[in-house]
Structure formats: structure tokens, C-alpha cells
Amino acid sequence: MQFNAVLDQLKLYEAGKPIELVVREYGIEAKDVIKLASNENPRGCSLKVIEAVREEASKMNLYPDDSMYELKGALATKFGVHDENVIIGSGSDQVIEFAIHAKSNPSSKVLMAGITFAMYEIYTLQTGGKVLKTASAQHDLAQMLELYKANKDVAIIILCIPNNPLGECVDTKDVYAFLDEISPETLVIIDGAYQEYASFKDSAKKIIPSDIIAKYPNTLYTGTFSKAYGLGGMRCGYGIAQPEVIKALLKLRAPFNITNLTLKAAIVALSDESFVEASVRENFEQMKAYEAFAKELGFEIIESYTNFIVFTFDKDKKSAEIAQKLMEKGIIVRNLGSYGMNAIRVTIGTPEQNARFFESFKTLYM
Amino acid sequence: MQFNAVLDQLKLYEAGKPIELVVREYGIEAKDVIKLASNENPRGCSLKVIEAVREEASKMNLYPDDSMYELKGALATKFGVHDENVIIGSGSDQVIEFAIHAKSNPSSKVLMAGITFAMYEIYTLQTGGKVLKTASAQHDLAQMLELYKANKDVAIIILCIPNNPLGECVDTKDVYAFLDEISPETLVIIDGAYQEYASFKDSAKKIIPSDIIAKYPNTLYTGTFSKAYGLGGMRCGYGIAQPEVIKALLKLRAPFNITNLTLKAAIVALSDESFVEASVRENFEQMKAYEAFAKELGFEIIESYTNFIVFTFDKDKKSAEIAQKLMEKGIIVRNLGSYGMNAIRVTIGTPEQNARFFESFKTLYM
């Protein structure tokens, strides 16, 4: 059967391997598998959230409040905006999907960094749109601006601040200067999935959604409960933008796009920011151990403003092989081979998980 | 800001009003609100599922197994197909969204019954495709075939068996005879969201996915955990088709499209089919009371093969007003005015809920 031609060029996103797969394929017990591949919060989530979700579990037969009144209200309060500035997605990537599908088409282009979140490209290709990437792997706003000016048909620019999967982060003042040069007709998506981490490490990286959408009505800020809030499994993210943008995106949102347990989890998570603070603080304490480890072993790293770190290897080591051997020992990391890099991305885990990573890695490669 | 032109003609789906809204707007306590508007299972869900989800709640930080290995396996076993015949969606409507987005485009048409699930039309319009509806509100396969033959560019036909929001159900033998006339290049979606109900009431309505996709490789069967399984709030459905169809749809699936708690809930739900049987049996016992009530009050009904029933009114009664007045009494039903009907759709509730509906309805209108 014939399907739409745009599907032909689409590749599938390769998700981080789940623990269940390692259990199945390598016969390792689930309790002995460490997953440092998907930038999940190793501390879990707030205990208040777990309690609330357990209580809500008796209502799984009921559809969620599709207006998401309470969650939108809580997010609007947190960010100092109004309900009509907020859209909820099944992960912030769904909000990004809506935005790309709403604006990109076969005669437009979507501009992004050389190496950035893989779904941006997939969502663009789904619309028949073309992808423009900077030669630089990391975000280089000067290069991006040059490409933008050289191409008249850029409908969307996506900035990942800080960038997944590399970890680097542009300065907010440079983002503002960049936005000054962009047409109000170009949608600029600012993916802030790891903003809690970046803004903790360096306030010069902090994006304030209310400020950026007021100054630049062509921006869409996206955030998530999947990382610092520790709710990756619950699929909840949000977009903050001017009502004109939100309204367009809402037209592509199917009803009940998050579960009722997710709705409850997100609402309660917002009432326990102390969990987030503790998670982010511990993340950077633990990251020091990774930096020291890389120095000791002589691997290069990319300075990270996130909850993961990238080790890049010389030609004598192969990232695919390293990732595979670690997996056979029950440690799942992300090989960045599919991004064209000889590198692995490792999520900062708990102290115990990190110690096991260091030990296994040393045994394999020293 | 300019968005893609297809968005201009899109209307938003009007979901059943949530209990929270009635609590907020009419100051009625949540425990006193009865929702008979969204065809949820009034018995809740299997207790085994609640228990399993409560246990899984400690893992909300972890993304689900994106291969959905275990759930696909369980569904494949249940339906006598292979894993590669199965796709999982956030509700079966997401599978239908994938299918329409994969096949419909600005130069094709999607054919459906005069009054059927509203999202079919919305998903079609999102692609720029055109919607063709039969003059008959209910499924009339002869009319549908006539329209199909009169239009050379029908990419998709959607059969809702039984039909939401009307409740009628075509016979399986007539569906097979219809499919004999359809080109193998036309995708036929068979939405079986309420199949557990229809096939219980009348085995002549039963669709066997493995049989239909074997005989007609151009069909896609969709089913859901939202209705008989009592998991509407968890957003889980599935599609069953030939691998060629599944592969195309998978290209439009974003990773992690259901939560890890949803995955667990669906897997455990499949291990407790006795809950489904009891739910479906009670549904039809209770439906008798609705039929008797309509007869007593002189309202017309449409014979229903689902867990809801439609009351149609003469001109002297207005469905919008009836729905509004019931809501003010804390009873939420679905006004079918947005479908162009002077009718309400009422979900069959628990005996207590139904008794309260009958009583309130009588007080208002006798």
C-alpha cells in the first residue's frame, strides 16, 4: 500500500535502551542494571508525587480534565504568565511536534545546531520541510544567524538551551542579541528541557519565559517534568508563548494527550520544588567526579550544563564498542554514533551508580 | 504570526466536561457529581491493575520500554497475531491519527459515516485532506460504497464498529462484503473501541482482527483500554494490521508515547479479562433500565451496542438545555448538538448513578 511520500525519508528515533531489554538479552537481574542512558533523574521523584499518584490510581477509568485547568494555573503562577500562555504536551517534545507541524511545510526550512535533539529533524521531515544545520556541532549563534540570513525560507529556528545530547549552553544575553536579528514571522523554539540544571550552574544561562515571550512574541519556550522533576515515565511537558502561538498549537493537540495520573503528578510536583533543588545540587556535585575521572583517564569531555556528560574518544577507541561492553556489564549509556560522533553520553547517576560506572569503565579500558 | 493554512479550518474537539469543572462552576461537591458523558467504565478498572500501578509508581522517573515488548507480546497472543502486527497508541485515537496522517493529503479524501467520532474529521483536516460523509447519520454501507465508487480519490475509509456517538453497529458479514469491493490501495480503518460490548450483545457484530487483516491486508483494526478495560484516564490503545501498515504508522509515532504506568496497567489489564466480562454483562443489564425509561417517557432511542445510549428529542425539547440543566444538578451527559443532532448521549453508569439520572431527568421534564 502506498503512503504519503514524506514517510519514505523518515528514520525512527533510537530511544535509550530500557532496563528490561538488558535483563532479557543479557540475563542480568533488573536490580543489577544501571541505566545512565536517558537522562532520567536518579533520585526518582518527589515522595509527595508518588503518594498522590497512588491515591489517584483508583480513578484510572476517568479521562483527565482536558482543559488541564489546575496544571495550567500552577504553571502560569510559577512562570508569571496567564493560562492562555500555556499548552501541555505528552513531554515537551510533543509541544515541539505541534509547533513544527503547525509551521513547517514542504517549502520551508527548520534551522538548528549541527548536533542537537534528534526529534527536531524527524518532526520536520514529517511535514516535508527541510532541515538546515550549522557546520558547528554545538550551538554557534553567529553561524546560525549567517545561515538564517542566507536562506529566505526559514520558518523555524530551534535553540536547545542547554543542548541535548552535547551539554553545552549558550548565554542568555547572546540569545537575546540573536533574537533581535530574527523576523517576527520566524518561530523560535527555545527548548529548555534542562534549564533547571543550566540556570543553577550559571545564572547567565537562565531563560525567563515570561520575559522572552514578552520581548519576542515569536518565541515558544518549552519545559518538561521529565528531567529535574523526575517524571520521565509520566510524559509531561509544557510550552509557554503568546496566545496566538498557543492557539495554533492547540489545534494539533488531540484531546486527553496526557493521563490523569500524569496531570496529578505534575500538579503535585510543582508544589515540591525542594526536590528539584536537591536533585540539581547533587547532580553537579556528582558531575565533578565525572570530570575528575575523565581527566584521570585522559578522555575529552564537553563542559555540561545538564544532568549528563559527553565523553569523546580518539580513533583508537570506538564508542559503539564501549557502549556495548558496558551494556554487557549491566550499565546502559548512550552511544552517540547515530549522531555521527565517536562519543558516549552518560547520565549523572547516584553516587553508587557513578562509582560502578567508573569501576566498570576502568576495568574495560585501562 | 502565520501558521500553515490547514490550521485555519480546524475546530477544536469538545471533550466531555470533567467532574472538576462542575465542581468549580456549580459549587457541587465532587462526590455528588456523576459523569455519564465520556463512556468511561463506571466500575473503575481491575483491582489487579490498581495494585500494579501503585507499585510501579516508585519508578515514575524512568522512561517506559519504548519497544513495548511485553505489551505487544500480550496483545499479539490475545489476538493471535505477531508483534510486528501491533502498534501502541496513546488511546486508539492516536493510532487513527497516525494512520490518517500517514495516508491522507491535500489531494485525497477520507470517507466516513454521517455522524461518527469527531476526531476522524479533525485528523483529516490537519492533513489538508477532504472529508466525505454519507447522507445517512448511521453507518450505511451501501451509501458508503456508492460514495466510494463515485469518488476516485478516497485514500481512507473509516468504519466505527459499533459507532460512537450513535451506538449502532453493522454486521460483520456486511463489512466483509463491503471490503470485497474496496481497492487494496484504500486503507480501511475499523475502529473497534466498543467491540467488547457489541460482540457480547450479538456475535454477528464480532470483528476478529487476525481474520480481517489476513483477508484484507488494507485494513487496520484499532482497539482500546479506555472503555471495557476501564482505563480511559491512562491513554492506551492499539492497532492491528499487516507489518507494511504498522511500519508506516510507526514512522509518525514519537518515542515514549505512553507512560510507564500506562504500559504496566495495560499489561496487567490483559491478564484479568474477567473484569471486562463482568463490566460488559452489567452494562447490558443496566441498559435495559434505560430502554424501559425511554419507553416510559416517550423518548426515542437508538439501539446501542456500546456502553452508552442516545436519546433523541422532538422539537419541543432542546438537548442543549437538557444537558445544561442536568449538569446544574451534578449529572454530566453529552449534548450531541455539536454533531447537528437534538439528542443527548448518556453513558450507562452504575445502578446507583443510573437511578439518579432517571430521577433527575424525570423531575426536570415531566
Side-chain angles (χ1 to χ4, degrees):
Chain A
M1 179 178 300
Q2 198 85 26
F3 289 95
N4 290 332
V6 288
L7 295 190
D8 297 341
Q9 55 183 332
L10 279 173
K11 46 188 178 185
L12 296 179
Y13 173 81
E14 187 197 333
K17 301 216 177 333
I19 290 172
E20 296 89 329
L21 179 138
V22 178
V23 171
R24 283 195 306 271
E25 295 197 357
Y26 302 101
I28 303 170
E29 280 191 64
K31 67 170 178 52
D32 296 328
V33 179
I34 297 177
K35 189 179 169 201
L36 301 174
S38 297
N39 308 335
E40 293 144 334
N41 190 328
R43 295 169 67 103
C45 69
S46 159
L47 293 177
K48 287 182 188 169
V49 174
I50 296 178
E51 209 174 293
V53 165
R54 284 187 172 143
E55 204 183 309
E56 196 77 0
S58 61
K59 299 182 194 161
M60 288 189 286
N61 59 319
L62 301 179
Y63 285 101
D65 172 3
D66 197 46
S67 74
M68 305 191 196
Y69 179 86
E70 201 179 341
L71 178 56
K72 279 188 188 170
L75 283 166
T77 302
K78 174 182 164 77
F79 288 111
V81 296
H82 300 287
D83 288 20
E84 66 260 32
N85 296 115
V86 182
I87 181 170
I88 310 293
S90 175
S92 55
D93 50 317
Q94 192 181 50
V95 177
I96 296 167
E97 176 185 332
F98 296 153
I100 295 176
H101 286 190
K103 182 87 179 157
S104 168
N105 60 56
S107 52
S108 72
K109 291 176 183 149
V110 177
L111 174 57
M112 62 192 76
I115 294 186
T116 190
F117 186 44
M119 291 309 298
Y120 305 155
E121 177 163 359
I122 294 175
Y123 293 136
T124 303
L125 295 178
Q126 285 173 354
T127 69
K130 274 154 216 74
V131 171
L132 263 184
K133 290 180 181 176
T134 57
S136 165
Q138 298 183 28
H139 281 66
D140 179 322
L141 294 174
Q143 265 189 30
M144 221 176 238
L145 192 58
E146 203 176 307
L147 269 176
Y148 177 69
K149 291 190 169 167
N151 288 273
K152 291 289 159 230
D153 43 7
V154 174
I156 305 174
I157 301 170
I158 309 181
L159 303 177
C160 194
I161 306 176
N163 188 26
N164 173 27
L166 298 185
E168 95 280 2
C169 192
V170 288
D171 280 0
T172 303
K173 70 170 170 36
D174 296 334
V175 174
Y176 275 59
F178 175 79
L179 289 170
D180 281 335
E181 304 292 319
I182 305 303
S183 157
E185 272 304 314
T186 306
L187 178 67
V188 182
I189 302 173
I190 294 165
D191 181 346
Y194 299 89
Q195 260 291 312
E196 290 86 356
Y197 297 96
S199 57
F200 173 91
K201 180 171 179 172
D202 182 352
S203 63
K205 313 294 186 184
K206 187 176 175 68
I207 301 283
I208 297 169
S210 59
D211 189 69
I212 209 162
I213 68 166
K215 187 140 195 228
Y216 307 100
N218 59 325
T219 56
L220 165 69
Y221 177 87
T222 61
T224 187
F225 289 93
S226 297
K227 307 301 173 186
Y229 287 89
L231 292 170
M234 294 303 279
R235 315 306 299 122
C236 192
Y238 51 88
I240 296 173
Q242 292 299 341
E244 173 197 41
V245 176
I246 297 295
K247 268 183 209 153
L249 271 50
L250 280 173
K251 289 189 172 178
L252 296 177
R253 186 189 70 90
F256 312 126
N257 60 325
I258 65 171
T259 76
N260 54 4
L261 270 50
T262 302
L263 202 48
K264 177 59 80 178
I267 292 164
V268 176
L270 286 175
S271 73
D272 188 9
E273 296 280 356
S274 65
F275 171 81
V276 174
E277 286 159 32
S279 296
V280 172
R281 187 172 303 110
E282 181 169 293
N283 175 71
F284 286 111
E285 281 162 14
Q286 287 298 307
M287 196 177 286
K288 284 180 201 152
Y290 276 84
E291 290 164 347
F293 179 76
K295 202 166 185 180
E296 183 194 338
L297 271 73
F299 291 127
E300 275 190 45
I301 58 160
I302 298 171
E303 188 182 2
S304 170
Y305 291 84
T306 66
N307 67 345
F308 58 81
I309 193 160
V310 170
F311 288 11
T312 60
F313 302 116
D314 294 333
K315 282 183 189 155
D316 63 319
K317 301 240 186 299
K318 292 210 165 33
S319 65
E321 218 171 89
I322 293 172
Q324 177 61 31
K325 284 194 174 159
L326 284 168
M327 184 150 65
E328 288 165 15
K329 285 178 168 278
I331 299 175
I332 319 176
V333 300
R334 192 64 173 275
N335 169 30
L336 295 184
S338 64
Y339 286 90
M341 292 178 79
N342 187 24
I344 59 170
R345 188 190 69 186
V346 187
T347 304
I348 309 301
T350 60
E352 300 69 32
Q353 291 174 330
N354 299 333
R356 218 181 112 197
F357 169 80
F358 297 144
E359 194 198 317
S360 299
F361 197 97
K362 268 193 184 166
T363 317
L364 283 173
Y365 287 97
M366 291 300 279
Chain B
M1 177 179 301
Q2 198 85 28
F3 288 95
N4 290 331
V6 288
L7 296 189
D8 298 341
Q9 56 182 331
L10 278 174
K11 45 189 178 184
L12 295 179
Y13 174 80
E14 189 196 333
K17 300 215 179 334
I19 290 172
E20 295 89 330
L21 181 136
V22 179
V23 172
R24 281 195 307 269
E25 295 195 359
Y26 303 101
I28 303 169
E29 280 191 64
K31 66 171 180 49
D32 294 328
V33 179
I34 296 177
K35 189 180 171 202
L36 301 175
S38 298
N39 308 336
E40 293 144 335
N41 190 328
R43 296 170 66 102
C45 69
S46 159
L47 293 177
K48 287 182 188 169
V49 174
I50 296 178
E51 209 174 295
V53 165
R54 284 187 172 142
E55 204 182 308
E56 196 76 359
S58 61
K59 298 182 196 162
M60 289 189 285
N61 59 318
L62 301 179
Y63 286 100
D65 172 3
D66 197 47
S67 74
M68 305 190 195
Y69 179 86
E70 201 179 342
L71 178 56
K72 280 188 188 170
L75 283 166
T77 302
K78 174 181 164 76
F79 288 110
V81 296
H82 300 285
D83 287 19
E84 65 261 31
N85 296 115
V86 183
I87 182 171
I88 310 293
S90 175
S92 55
D93 49 319
Q94 192 181 51
V95 177
I96 295 167
E97 175 186 334
F98 296 153
I100 295 176
H101 285 191
K103 182 89 179 157
S104 168
N105 60 57
S107 51
S108 73
K109 291 177 183 147
V110 177
L111 173 58
M112 61 191 76
I115 294 186
T116 190
F117 186 43
M119 291 309 299
Y120 306 154
E121 177 164 0
I122 294 176
Y123 293 137
T124 304
L125 296 178
Q126 286 173 354
T127 69
K130 275 154 217 74
V131 171
L132 263 184
K133 291 180 180 176
T134 57
S136 164
Q138 298 183 28
H139 282 65
D140 179 322
L141 294 174
Q143 266 190 28
M144 220 175 239
L145 192 59
E146 204 174 307
L147 269 176
Y148 177 70
K149 290 190 169 167
N151 288 274
K152 290 291 160 227
D153 43 8
V154 174
I156 305 174
I157 301 170
I158 310 181
L159 303 176
C160 194
I161 308 175
N163 188 22
N164 174 25
L166 299 184
E168 95 280 5
C169 194
V170 289
D171 279 1
T172 304
K173 69 170 171 34
D174 296 334
V175 174
Y176 275 60
F178 175 80
L179 289 171
D180 281 335
E181 303 294 318
I182 306 303
S183 154
E185 272 304 312
T186 305
L187 178 67
V188 182
I189 301 173
I190 294 164
D191 181 346
Y194 299 89
Q195 259 292 312
E196 289 85 356
Y197 297 96
S199 57
F200 174 92
K201 181 170 178 172
D202 182 351
S203 62
K205 313 293 187 185
K206 186 176 175 68
I207 302 283
I208 298 169
S210 58
D211 189 68
I212 209 162
I213 68 166
K215 187 140 196 229
Y216 307 100
N218 59 326
T219 55
L220 165 68
Y221 177 87
T222 61
T224 187
F225 289 93
S226 297
K227 306 301 173 188
Y229 287 89
L231 291 171
M234 294 304 277
R235 315 307 299 122
C236 194
Y238 51 87
I240 296 173
Q242 292 300 341
E244 173 198 40
V245 176
I246 297 295
K247 269 184 209 153
L249 273 50
L250 281 173
K251 290 189 171 178
L252 296 177
R253 186 189 70 91
F256 312 127
N257 60 324
I258 65 170
T259 76
N260 54 3
L261 269 51
T262 303
L263 201 50
K264 177 60 78 176
I267 292 163
V268 176
L270 286 176
S271 74
D272 188 8
E273 296 280 357
S274 65
F275 171 82
V276 174
E277 286 160 32
S279 296
V280 173
R281 188 172 302 111
E282 181 170 291
N283 175 72
F284 286 110
E285 280 162 13
Q286 286 298 307
M287 196 178 284
K288 286 180 199 151
Y290 276 85
E291 291 164 347
F293 179 75
K295 203 167 187 178
E296 182 194 339
L297 270 73
F299 291 127
E300 276 192 45
I301 57 160
I302 298 172
E303 187 182 2
S304 172
Y305 292 84
T306 65
N307 67 344
F308 59 81
I309 192 160
V310 170
F311 286 13
T312 61
F313 302 117
D314 293 335
K315 281 182 190 157
D316 63 321
K317 301 242 186 299
K318 292 207 164 34
S319 64
E321 220 171 90
I322 293 172
Q324 177 61 31
K325 285 194 174 159
L326 284 168
M327 185 151 64
E328 289 164 16
K329 287 178 169 274
I331 299 174
I332 320 175
V333 301
R334 191 65 173 274
N335 170 29
L336 295 185
S338 64
Y339 286 90
M341 293 180 79
N342 187 24
I344 59 170
R345 188 191 67 185
V346 187
T347 305
I348 309 302
T350 60
E352 299 70 30
Q353 291 174 331
N354 300 333
R356 219 181 111 199
F357 169 80
F358 297 144
E359 193 198 317
S360 300
F361 198 98
K362 267 193 185 167
T363 317
L364 282 174
Y365 288 94
M366 290 301 281

